[in-house]
Amino acid sequence: MKKQNENRLQFSVKFEGQPKGYIPLAAHVYDKSGNHLESAEVDKEGNFVLSSAGDDLQNSRVYIAPANKQGVPSLKDLEKINAYQPYINTRNLFKEKVELLPIPELNYKFWWWCTCRVTGRVTKQVFIGGALQVLPVCKARVHICEVDRWPIIIWQLPDDIIYRIRDEIVAIKWPVPPIPDPGPLKGADIRFPAERINALASRSAMQSNTQAQSINTASAASLAQNNFKAQLASGNSAYHLRLELADNFQLIYPYICYWQWLWPYFYSCDELAMIETDSDGRFDTDVYYYCFGDKPDVYVWVEYFIDGQWVTVYNPGRACHTHWDYTCGTPINITVTDSRVPHCGRADVRGEIAEILSIGNNAYTSHILQRSATQTVQGVSFDAKGLTNVYLDVPGVRYLNPFGGGLNVIADFGTTLHTSGVTHFRCSYKKNSDADVPANWTILDNPLPRYYEDEIDDGINPPFQQRKSFDLKDASYSGLYVIPHHDAATQPGLPAPSGTLIFRGWLTEAFAIASIDSTNLQDDMYDFKFELYRITAGLPERVSVPKSTFQVPNPDDTTLSLPLSNTGFTSAAYPDFNTADYIIQDTGIAANAFGFKMTFRVDNNPTDASIDNVTVINNDGTTATSDTECGFAEYKHKNSSKVKFSFAATHPNNFATLSFTVVRGNNNPCPDANTGGMVIGSTAQGYTLAAGKFTKQVDVADLLGTCRHAAFAENLYVTALATDGTRRLHEYDSSWTAAFALEHANS
């Protein structure tokens, strides 16, 4: 007999029943705080040895689980797979070998490993040439996770949630009506296709009720649904309700998306793999999962490297966007809407080329108007020079957006530009109205990072990736930046990695060549200039190059490049576009240019919004104004009295749109009182702009409808049109909400 304090305790454990195959096992010991103490392999006969003393085991937790090739599992991992926690009688620790109770089948049926191929594509939608195109997102991190399986979640839910699920299901009317699925949007009135749910119900019926095999599919589905509801309705035991819910998840999961009160319980999502998208935005990998439940429940979220750090750009929520019982190999297509994420559908620029692409990710240089052109909106005309068309909110208007915030000018250099005799570039800006003399140009000299990626083998860890930045600013020459090599692996000045370098490459082909904080500028028109330099005898020298060196995106198809030497190019969609507007001409050589230039308009003004009290105008000439505190206004005659609406929606330079809506009671629209358009002038819906106020009179009868008395809400939103080229500057928006009630004067 062993002494109680003797180490090397021996144990033996068997399986209850007969597993369908050999399961390699391991035993794991944790203290009461969840700290791992030791692990031991279980041999094929079920024997294992622990080093912990018997006294220590009395205050520890022992788990038996399938052997994990990835190392020591966490307690969360063990709980997820329903690891076996045996009962250990401390009196038995004196024996030569402690015989543990067998592993229940309910536990080990979770323990089989399977492989599943997860594939898909990450894209974003972009308007090009007036048409919506789907383009890939490259070098995004795709995280593939497995959500806790329903049988595990259901046993972790509080009893009150179990009873609420029962009540909700009992109230469901099956079959579901065939309403198109608009997508799992929070707060929306979400429905699901009848074909999907009825097919699931049919499958459940065929699996769980042998009588269903002899009747038609619709009857089988109805039988499964009714039996399931009857079982739940008759159950008051939370334990038995959990059993029913765990066995019938295929009938439940389409509804989870709009049971928002259940969403917080879908908090666990274990990462199976992380993979980077390729040049076509695709991802494809094998993941391993515990086979119980047939297929993994897969959830995918996406990160992108923005401003030197990984940022989550797609993470819509597990309750609505988990691929339950994911069919391995089925494409998971993800559309990223974050405006900071660029697409990568452009061909590599080859040759001695400097293509100035855009301001921000979306304001293409060829879509920024470079010459005066009059546009008329709501009867008011304005000059659109310097504006772009990133965010349009007024039909029939081509250029509407000034620039604001931080402005990054994006370019893509050709494969051999750095070997063409030029070594540096310079960027500068001035007010458009200032004379073109050196003293008026502000030369940019701030740090300018370009990001690159190393894949490293340090001899200790598996190969890993590091992303770093290289400052293009040349510290030896004020206001000059080095032209980077096309291949980052040959770029001078990049530090050697801490290990064997497997691969080095620029993170993106396009990069920022200038960064301007426009909030420090006056609201005005500005000129931007990009010039090429070389160092001669230690001094910077501006270089004249062929005009074809400078290129912009083709305005009709921005995935293509357009040399500025193509003076004959015309565009039907952009008739005011002219390549000559972007050239700094070399007056000595007609075919050459000293640089690229463009004009852009800056406007960082915020909008303003306010709503006045309504005024009731009766046919006898009397008026009544809604009380500011309580909001009531009396009318005399429903069919002849009118209500005068008045509000202010302003922007100092009119670069904003407005939306004014009135609703009666609980979301009953009053279309005669609604309006929209630019803040520039009177609207098409009859609102007159005078002295800074939009006003209109609306018949009381049109507002009240069938009501004699009614309460109304007025909502005004003013949308700023300024952009940094990547996103609209919503921080310059404004809004106002007001309310009033109409009551009859003789009430």
Side-chain angles (χ1 to χ4, degrees), residues 380-440:
V380 181
S381 298
F382 62 95
D383 188 353
K385 184 177 180 180
L387 303 182
T388 187
N389 65 345
V390 177
Y391 300 96
L392 296 179
D393 206 18
V394 177
V397 179
R398 183 174 289 110
Y399 302 100
L400 204 57
N401 306 111
F403 290 92
L407 306 179
N408 290 324
V409 181
I410 308 299
D412 187 1
F413 290 172
T415 53
T416 58
L417 181 63
H418 71 285
T419 63
S420 64
V422 296
T423 58
H424 293 73
F425 67 89
R426 171 172 286 170
C427 295
S428 54
Y429 67 89
K430 71 172 184 68
K431 275 189 179 182
N432 177 259
S433 57
D434 289 344
D436 186 5
V437 295
N440 289 332

Side-chain angles (χ1 to χ4, degrees), residues 340-353:
R340 297 171 297 175
V341 178
H343 64 79
C344 57
R346 306 187 89 251
D348 194 11
V349 176
R350 297 192 172 276
E352 300 175 7
I353 292 170

Side-chain angles (χ1 to χ4, degrees), residues 425-474:
F425 67 89
R426 171 172 286 170
C427 295
S428 54
Y429 67 89
K430 71 172 184 68
K431 275 189 179 182
N432 177 259
S433 57
D434 289 344
D436 186 5
V437 295
N440 289 332
W441 288 93
T442 298
I443 298 173
L444 296 175
D445 196 37
N446 49 309
L448 200 61
R450 184 175 185 186
Y451 293 97
Y452 66 97
E453 180 178 68
D454 285 345
E455 186 172 357
I456 300 170
D457 184 354
D458 63 2
I460 301 174
N461 303 294
F464 58 93
Q465 294 174 332
Q466 287 184 341
R467 294 193 171 184
K468 302 177 181 179
S469 65
F470 171 62
D471 190 359
L472 298 177
K473 185 180 182 313
D474 191 333

Side-chain angles (χ1 to χ4, degrees), residues 394-645:
V394 177
V397 179
R398 183 174 289 110
Y399 302 100
L400 204 57
N401 306 111
F403 290 92
L407 306 179
N408 290 324
V409 181
I410 308 299
D412 187 1
F413 290 172
T415 53
T416 58
L417 181 63
H418 71 285
T419 63
S420 64
V422 296
T423 58
H424 293 73
F425 67 89
R426 171 172 286 170
C427 295
S428 54
Y429 67 89
K430 71 172 184 68
K431 275 189 179 182
N432 177 259
S433 57
D434 289 344
D436 186 5
V437 295
N440 289 332
W441 288 93
T442 298
I443 298 173
L444 296 175
D445 196 37
N446 49 309
L448 200 61
R450 184 175 185 186
Y451 293 97
Y452 66 97
E453 180 178 68
D454 285 345
E455 186 172 357
I456 300 170
D457 184 354
D458 63 2
I460 301 174
N461 303 294
F464 58 93
Q465 294 174 332
Q466 287 184 341
R467 294 193 171 184
K468 302 177 181 179
S469 65
F470 171 62
D471 190 359
L472 298 177
K473 185 180 182 313
D474 191 333
S476 301
Y477 301 98
S478 176
L480 287 185
Y481 299 90
V482 297
I483 294 176
H485 288 207
H486 185 262
D487 185 356
T490 65
Q491 177 64 49
L494 293 187
S498 55
T500 301
L501 182 64
I502 300 174
F503 170 80
R504 170 172 282 175
W506 298 115
L507 195 57
T508 59
E509 293 293 335
F511 58 97
I513 60 169
S515 183
I516 302 171
D517 184 359
S518 75
T519 61
N520 294 327
L521 305 179
Q522 295 178 351
D523 297 319
D524 207 333
M525 204 88 68
Y526 288 84
D527 294 331
F528 170 82
K529 182 167 61 174
F530 168 84
E531 300 165 296
L532 296 173
Y533 279 76
R534 64 181 170 218
I535 306 301
T536 303
L539 297 175
E541 178 186 9
R542 190 174 67 160
V543 181
S544 172
V545 295
K547 291 181 182 178
S548 58
T549 303
F550 301 106
Q551 301 190 5
V552 296
N554 186 309
D556 294 331
D557 185 351
T558 54
T559 63
L560 304 176
S561 299
L562 178 66
L564 295 183
S565 58
N566 188 348
T567 56
F569 178 86
T570 59
S571 169
Y574 295 89
D576 298 307
F577 173 82
N578 193 310
T579 57
D581 293 337
Y582 298 89
I583 285 293
I584 301 175
Q585 180 65 49
D586 181 348
T587 56
I589 306 176
N592 278 18
F594 277 115
F596 164 93
K597 65 181 176 69
M598 68 174 172
T599 299
F600 61 97
R601 180 160 185 169
V602 169
D603 195 322
N604 283 288
N605 284 299
T607 64
D608 191 35
S610 64
I611 299 176
D612 299 326
N613 293 335
V614 300
T615 301
V616 174
I617 302 173
N618 298 306
N619 63 343
D620 62 1
T622 61
T623 61
T625 301
S626 61
D627 178 81
T628 301
E629 182 175 353
C630 300
F632 283 90
E634 294 183 344
Y635 69 93
K636 291 184 177 180
H637 303 286
K638 182 176 181 179
N639 293 325
S640 60
S641 297
K642 297 180 180 293
V643 172
K644 179 182 178 182
F645 292 94

Side-chain angles (χ1 to χ4, degrees), residues 70 98 216 234 364 435 445 503 554 558 564 568 645 693 703 713:
Q70 297 177 345
V98 180
N216 61 45
S234 63
Y364 295 105
D445 196 37
F503 170 80
N554 186 309
T558 54
L564 295 183
F645 292 94
K693 300 283 187 177
L703 295 172

